[in-house]
Amino acid sequence: MEQNEFMEAIMYVNGVRRVLPDGLAHMTLLEYLRDLGLTGTKLGCGEGGCGSCTVMVSSYDRESKTCVHYAVNACLAPLYSVEGMHVISIEGVGHRKLGLHPLQESLASSHGSQCGFCTPGFVMSMYALLRSSKNSPSEEEIEECLAGNLCRCTGYRPIIDAFRVFAKSDDALYSGLSSLSLQDGSNICPSTGKPCSCGSKTTSEAATCNEDRFQSISYSDIDGAKYTDKELIFPPELLLRKLAPLKLGGNEGITWYRPVSLQNLLELKANFPDAKLLVGNTEVGIEMRLKRLQYPVLISAAQVPELNALNVNDNGIEVGSALRLSELLRLFRKVVKERPAHETSACKAFIEQLKWFAGTQIRNVACIGGNICTASPISDLNPLWMASRAEFRIINCNGDARSIPAKDFFLGYRKVDMGSNEILLSVFLPWTRPLEYVKEFKQAHRRDDDIAIVNGGMRVFLEEKGQQLFVSDASIVYGGVAPLSLRARNTEELLIGKNWNKCLLQDALKVIQSDVLIKEGAPGGMVEFRKSLTLSFFFKFFLWVTHHVNNVNPTIETFPPSHMSAVQLVPRFSRIGKQDYETVKQGTSVGLPEVHLSARMQVFWSICWLAEGP
Ligand SMILES: NC(=O)C1=CN([C@@H]2O[C@H](COP(=O)(O)OP(=O)(O)OC[C@H]3O[C@@H](n4cnc5c(N)ncnc54)[C@H](O)[C@@H]3O)[C@@H](O)[C@H]2O)C=CC1
Ligand SMILES: O=c1[nH]c(=O)c2[nH]c(=O)[nH]c2[nH]1
């Protein structure tokens, strides 16, 4: 394989070009940044769960010829994984001298920081959202982008309040009022939605209204210039640069390979059968750092085009195994809009499951193949791949490919039907058929960014015979109840051929209890709770399917309205809080809601805590 004979490994950090020397394959992006003195990015949990190490990565997507911006956890990102990319840390967003970014200003003035440790991470998640959105984000998108950031002292209310001002407003709320005058004689402006003197009656007339909806924040203490004039651009050098393979070393004999074609990757796999393949490194990184596993040869498959391919055709969707989970979510959202509703029941189930899968920073780097091949017994997605009749395409070092149904791929605890000379190439998800329904389930301690206690994927394919519906095929799969994602085979068998009615529900609930056995003392604990979850998931599935088929065939017996909450999706609520407190003037700041003195430093400054390493 042609290696990086002529190529120097580089990246940009906050607009500054950096040559990446050989010998740093053991290093994370976080360690590198902090070694540069950029200590605003923090090391919190070190496993992608708290968001205090969030930075924004910008890369050039050669396929769409656009720059993409996304938040990542620097604590898990291997340094060389951002080769050829631009990394913006909190120090590159806004600065006391250059002026705070409006996000930073808003967070500081809304009392959104207390100890300040998590603050840069929150700013970076929100910054990446703003830079990657064409329009102002919705409040739901803001909440979603912050799901991977934890705060332990300030509280989320002031943080969300600080960022909510960047959300789009519902213009319809205001345009309906466009002809109304307030009692004091002034108008509601259809453009800004605020009392205004521009006199416009319609949104288009008001387009020129220069009374901003959100008062612009003073951006620079020094020259008052608008912040957008100072936003770091994507370095032109990186637009022109050709993607080339890399081979770089690190401590303890680690070698990092970055193949850029499937052929390169398969050759490497043939030469180094024990090499560890990685993409997002969100699992391998934890194995190496926290579990101290050693992988001397690392092959980053993230940039292999064949593993990132997308193919939507008449039978379904085929996605490359290195596709990031956030890309998968975008793809599913797109096809759900474009395809007939009955074809996308499985896609909708994946959308709901992915919404609550880890945090945004993880989903931006973790790939489909990483989740499948880790074969975690609590994987949120594997029960769904199994239930929705997905097929996995495996390729060996000689280029021979084979397909295996997802339901047969998982063999035991973190054990899959794949040899050491094979890799997962792609995943095929068939469209669902009329009267075929797929549903996801997940119960965790908290909704956002948490591992499931029990999860599941269920599918039923119904057939109409006269006025009745019979089960032609079914898949019932649970996670979190066994060492692997578990098919409830006896339940599946019981369902097939049965009439879809309340007797079927009662019979299935009985069989599930013997089909899914969680023994006393089983890993994970909470045995009774987990058992009851397996039953309640099926109960919800029954109600949900019944509700849907009732829309198609109203003769099917339905259920009382009091059960409707079981079939409704859980939205991501926009959290609104209010705090009332008495201000007691004592001649000092004590008791007054004043912005604390460190706030403006915490939102940009590389504060280094005494307990922190460099
Ligand atoms: N750290 C965290 O907070 C979270 C971690 N995860 C984990 O993230 C993983 C998702 O993916 P990545 O970060 O991209 O995984 P990764 O790069 O850490 O790789 C995970 C495993 O999958 C294997 N693998 C990846 N692609 C493969 C392919 N095409 N063929 C054969 N083997 C392949 C790797 O060799 C490795 O054993 C999941 O395994 C999940 O368990 C998920 C949510 C949160
Ligand atoms: O499938 C998963 N979903 C998660 O939400 C999660 N979180 C985690 O650490 N691992 C996993 N795996």
Side-chain angles (χ1 to χ4, degrees):
M1 183 175 88
E2 196 189 317
Q3 297 297 353
N4 53 328
E5 289 163 33
F6 307 107
M7 204 185 121
E8 151 180 85
I10 61 156
M11 69 184 284
Y12 277 72
V13 179
N14 299 333
V16 178
R17 187 180 195 272
R18 304 268 169 189
V19 175
L20 294 176
D22 196 0
L24 303 183
H26 56 279
M27 214 177 212
T28 63
L29 174 60
L30 177 66
E31 288 163 340
Y32 179 76
L33 293 175
R34 293 183 65 89
D35 280 359
L36 290 178
L38 300 173
T39 52
T41 312
K42 305 294 174 204
L43 172 63
C45 67
E47 52 180 297
C50 75
S52 65
C53 63
T54 307
V55 296
M56 186 180 87
V57 172
S58 304
S59 65
Y60 183 58
D61 179 4
R62 287 168 180 80
E63 186 75 14
S64 63
K65 298 195 172 26
T66 51
C67 295
V68 287
H69 309 286
Y70 47 93
V72 310
N73 289 309
C75 72
L76 286 176
L79 173 60
Y80 292 147
S81 70
V82 292
E83 199 283 333
M85 300 179 189
H86 186 195
V87 172
I88 298 187
S89 68
I90 187 72
E91 292 86 353
V93 171
H95 201 270
R96 186 129 189 108
K97 285 192 188 141
L98 291 173
L100 291 186
H101 188 278
L103 283 172
Q104 295 167 308
E105 187 69 55
S106 183
L107 194 61
S109 56
S110 306
H111 314 281
S113 76
Q114 197 176 133
C115 83
F117 190 87
C118 67
T119 309
F122 272 97
V123 173
M124 292 315 298
S125 287
M126 190 59 201
Y127 180 72
L129 175 70
L130 290 189
R131 288 226 39 189
S132 57
S133 309
K134 289 200 187 90
N135 305 308
S136 308
S138 63
E139 290 191 17
E140 190 182 344
E141 284 167 332
I142 293 177
E143 297 256 347
E144 188 173 301
C145 96
L146 300 177
N149 291 81
L150 294 184
C151 165
R152 287 281 182 249
C153 63
T154 315
Y156 296 101
R157 185 193 56 77
I159 297 174
I160 299 277
D161 282 350
F163 292 153
R164 184 175 285 129
V165 296
F166 298 92
K168 68 168 162 259
S169 311
D170 180 356
D171 290 346
L173 290 176
Y174 301 116
S175 49
L177 295 172
S178 61
S179 57
L180 291 184
S181 293
L182 295 179
Q183 281 175 349
D184 66 3
S186 60
N187 280 318
I188 295 283
C189 176
S191 169
T192 65
K194 283 181 175 174
C196 160
S197 54
C198 76
S200 312
K201 295 273 182 270
T202 63
T203 317
S204 53
E205 258 181 64
T208 51
C209 173
N210 48 21
E211 292 186 31
D212 285 349
R213 178 167 309 159
F214 301 118
Q215 276 298 310
S216 37
I217 297 159
S218 63
Y219 302 141
S220 170
D221 294 349
I222 294 175
D223 61 9
K226 280 212 173 194
Y227 194 85
T228 42
D229 300 341
K230 302 177 184 140
E231 205 84 79
L232 287 169
I233 59 158
F234 190 72
E237 180 189 2
L238 300 182
L239 291 174
L240 304 171
R241 207 156 172 271
K242 220 173 142 253
L243 187 66
L246 287 178
K247 178 189 172 191
L248 294 158
N251 281 0
E252 292 168 23
I254 293 181
T255 310
W256 169 277
Y257 288 95
R258 180 183 74 185
V260 293
S261 73
L262 182 60
Q263 181 63 26
N264 287 172
L265 170 61
L266 296 179
E267 280 168 19
L268 284 167
K269 193 77 184 121
N271 292 341
F272 306 102
D274 296 330
K276 195 67 177 165
L277 209 68
L278 59 86
V279 176
N281 198 48
T282 65
E283 184 70 29
V284 175
I286 291 175
E287 286 173 2
M288 291 180 75
R289 299 189 153 258
L290 303 182
K291 300 184 188 163
R292 299 267 162 222
L293 297 188
Q294 296 200 333
Y295 300 120
V297 180
L298 297 169
I299 305 176
S300 166
Q303 313 234 16
V304 172
E306 293 88 339
L307 298 192
N308 283 287
L310 293 179
N311 179 12
V312 179
N313 62 37
D314 286 346
N315 302 319
I317 304 179
E318 178 141 16
V319 282
S321 63
L323 198 77
R324 312 306 198 287
L325 297 177
S326 44
E327 285 297 318
L328 183 71
L329 186 55
R330 256 191 289 278
L331 173 70
F332 283 146
R333 282 181 171 151
K334 183 166 174 278
V335 295
V336 162
K337 282 196 197 134
E338 292 171 354
R339 306 287 307 188
H342 71 262
E343 289 187 350
T344 55
S345 183
C347 301
K348 287 172 201 134
F350 274 98
I351 291 173
E352 280 308 306
Q353 200 73 323
L354 282 165
K355 242 165 66 180
W356 308 107
F357 181 110
T360 308
Q361 299 92 321
I362 292 284
R363 291 199 303 266
N364 284 342
V365 296
C367 72
I368 300 170
N371 192 254
I372 292 170
C373 297
T374 297
S376 160
I378 49 83
S379 160
D380 288 335
L381 303 184
N382 292 340
L384 270 180
W385 293 124
M386 291 166 73
S388 52
R389 299 188 305 130
E391 297 261 328
F392 296 159
R393 272 172 68 75
I394 316 280
I395 189 165
N396 70 14
C397 298
N398 302 325
D400 304 323
R402 67 182 171 101
S403 275
I404 177 166
K407 67 183 171 52
D408 299 328
F409 185 67
F410 303 98
L411 304 179
Y413 182 67
R414 295 185 180 244
K415 203 161 161 250
V416 295
D417 183 356
M418 200 168 56
S420 63
N421 66 338
E422 292 182 312
I423 64 158
L424 178 65
L425 179 63
S426 62
V427 174
F428 172 72
L429 179 71
W431 301 128
T432 41
R433 300 159 281 188
L435 290 180
E436 186 170 34
Y437 301 96
V438 179
K439 186 83 185 127
E440 81 299 333
F441 297 92
K442 175 171 182 175
Q443 179 68 53
H445 288 284
R446 60 175 212 148
R447 198 159 276 284
D448 274 314
D449 194 5
D450 200 1
I451 292 180
I453 299 168
V454 177
N455 53 20
M458 298 187 191
R459 177 183 62 92
V460 72
F461 181 36
L462 301 172
E463 227 179 342
E464 245 175 332
K465 287 188 190 156
Q467 294 286 311
Q468 298 191 324
L469 288 172
F470 287 83
V471 179
S472 162
D473 193 13
S475 305
I476 308 293
V477 188
Y478 291 105
V481 296
L484 74 174
S485 302
L486 186 83
R487 275 178 71 192
R489 288 170 194 265
N490 296 327
T491 315
E492 290 175 356
E493 265 171 38
L494 170 103
L495 295 176
I496 293 170
K498 290 271 178 348
N499 193 345
W500 188 262
N501 59 24
K502 283 180 189 156
C503 291
L504 165 144
L505 171 64
Q506 294 309 329
D507 292 346
L509 291 176
K510 276 190 210 122
V511 178
I512 290 171
Q513 293 178 57
S514 55
D515 221 1
V516 184
L517 292 171
I518 314 175
K519 295 205 181 96
E520 266 323 303
M526 296 181 284
V527 170
E528 284 311 312
F529 181 46
R530 286 198 282 162
K531 281 187 194 166
S532 71
L533 286 173
T534 59
L535 300 178
S536 58
F537 286 175
F538 186 81
F539 179 58
K540 282 176 91 168
F541 182 60
F542 178 81
L543 293 183
W544 181 80
V545 172
T546 306
H547 177 67
H548 278 76
V549 290
N550 189 256
N551 288 339
V552 183
N553 181 342
T555 62
I556 299 299
E557 192 185 1
T558 185
F559 49 84
S562 58
H563 289 27
M564 272 305 282
S565 64
V567 304
Q568 279 156 356
L569 291 179
V570 180
R572 192 182 283 282
F573 294 109
S574 169
R575 263 150 273 242
I576 298 177
K578 194 164 166 263
Q579 191 178 11
D580 291 317
Y581 46 86
E582 216 179 312
T583 51
V584 185
K585 291 192 179 155
Q586 296 173 348
T588 67
S589 301
V590 175
L592 298 180
E594 288 191 7
V595 173
H596 68 86
L597 288 177
S598 316
R600 288 201 165 71
M601 291 190 279
Q602 288 171 342
V603 293
F604 78 88
W605 201 31
S606 299
I607 292 177
C608 198
W609 271 254
L610 282 179
E612 282 190 279

